[in-house]
Amino acid sequence: MSLLAVAGVVLAAGPWVFSDFWLSLAMTCMMYSALAVSWAMFSGTTRYLSLATSALFGLGTYTTAMAMQHLPWPLLIAGGGLVSALFALLVGSAVMHLRGTYFAVLTFGLGELVRHSITYTEKSVFGTVGRVLTEVPSNETLYWTMLVLALLAIVTYKLVSVSRLGMAMRGIGADEQRAATFGVNTRATKLIGFALSAWFAGAVGAAMAVRWTYIDPHSAFSPLIGFQTVLIAMIGGATTWRGPVIAAIGLSLLSDALRLNFPHAYLIILGVLLIVCVLFIPGGIASIQWKKLFGRQGGGLVAGQKEAA
């Protein structure tokens, strides 16, 4: 916690240190860190592969688009998270009995349903296809908001992991029937974990909405945001918070470096990394024991030198 607090204090000086380019890149890193850590908090422990992140993010974005003129900034962020959490409770109560591929496909399909429903509502009721944001907070305010959300996601992950809720979710991930046998209310546990994870996705979406001057369903509910969040968490290691943070920073930097000149190379590299992780390091980058790895290599080198002598 102390190291996290120090990192937060150092990063808080970003608006006075970074240029506009690096400030924007830092916000992208923090956005995906918050999304991937909160996704791992539920899906990484319960092993319920949720593809609803794009829908939850989009609901937060549209909360800002519709309530920007009526709510102060802190309540707007909390409100975006609350809308997504309530949606997660509603969806979860209907589909949480499913598992595996069925749960993943249905959560993605419900996200698409929300996107098309909002598109239809915008056209038929309001006579438009999007929303224009005229008054938005400064980049400094947005940066500090994203920093707080990223740090809050990490702290929440750490607190949940040592709580009864975290132990219950890990029990569900290991063997749901056995967890139920030992007295775990599996349905309530899954709903609470899913809603808690969804709050962060909605809050991040509500904050990042102000980066666009025009919000429409296509951009707000972009499937790329959801898929990239899942890939980052799985490549980094969905059973820890460090892995998703490291992967979010690394892949955000890689994306920015390649997207302008080689737009398809980034997606290819992302796919290759995912295949490598699934085949050789299913626990993600965070599961690699670097000290033992280099220690064995060093030990082997020393032994070889002794034999040669």
Side-chain angles (χ1 to χ4, degrees), residues 86-302:
L86 292 175
F87 175 77
L89 285 175
L90 179 63
V91 170
S93 62
V95 305
M96 203 59 77
H97 62 283
L98 302 174
R99 195 176 174 90
T101 307
Y102 299 101
F103 180 79
V105 171
L106 198 54
T107 51
F108 176 76
L110 287 171
E112 289 296 292
L113 177 62
V114 172
R115 181 169 70 89
H116 289 294
S117 299
I118 290 181
T119 302
Y120 174 79
T121 304
E122 288 278 51
K123 290 181 179 180
S124 61
V125 177
F126 299 103
T128 182
V129 291
R131 302 275 173 162
V132 177
L133 298 181
T134 55
E135 297 180 6
V136 296
S138 63
N139 282 339
E140 291 79 7
T141 300
L142 178 57
Y143 175 88
W144 288 321
T145 302
M146 290 309 307
L147 176 60
V148 169
L149 288 175
L151 293 176
L152 184 60
I154 295 172
V155 171
T156 304
Y157 184 104
K158 291 171 69 69
L159 292 176
V160 168
S161 65
V162 297
S163 68
R164 291 175 61 90
L165 175 63
M167 289 186 286
M169 288 197 294
R170 287 195 296 273
I172 291 172
D175 190 330
E176 186 168 349
Q177 291 183 345
R178 172 177 281 187
T181 302
F182 281 106
V184 175
N185 188 334
T186 57
R187 182 178 177 81
T189 298
K190 291 183 290 186
L191 285 174
I192 294 172
F194 191 38
L196 184 60
S197 174
W199 185 92
F200 284 97
V204 170
M208 295 302 285
V210 300
R211 295 189 74 180
W212 304 304
T213 56
Y214 179 75
I215 297 174
D216 64 349
H218 178 73
S219 60
F221 294 90
S222 173
L224 181 62
I225 293 176
F227 284 126
Q228 194 156 291
T229 298
V230 175
L231 292 176
I232 286 173
M234 294 181 68
I235 290 171
T239 56
T240 67
W241 65 265
R242 295 181 183 86
V245 170
I246 294 171
I249 296 172
L251 292 176
S252 295
L253 294 174
L254 182 64
S255 171
D256 187 79
L258 295 178
R259 188 166 291 174
L260 293 177
N261 298 320
F262 308 99
H264 300 293
Y266 170 70
L267 296 177
I268 294 172
I269 292 174
L270 201 64
V272 171
L273 284 174
L274 180 63
I275 293 171
V276 170
C277 285
V278 170
L279 293 178
F280 301 106
I281 42 175
I285 296 172
S287 66
I288 300 175
Q289 298 180 357
W290 298 101
K291 291 183 178 180
K292 290 185 177 181
L293 180 65
F294 289 113
R296 288 173 183 174
Q297 291 179 350
L301 180 62
V302 171

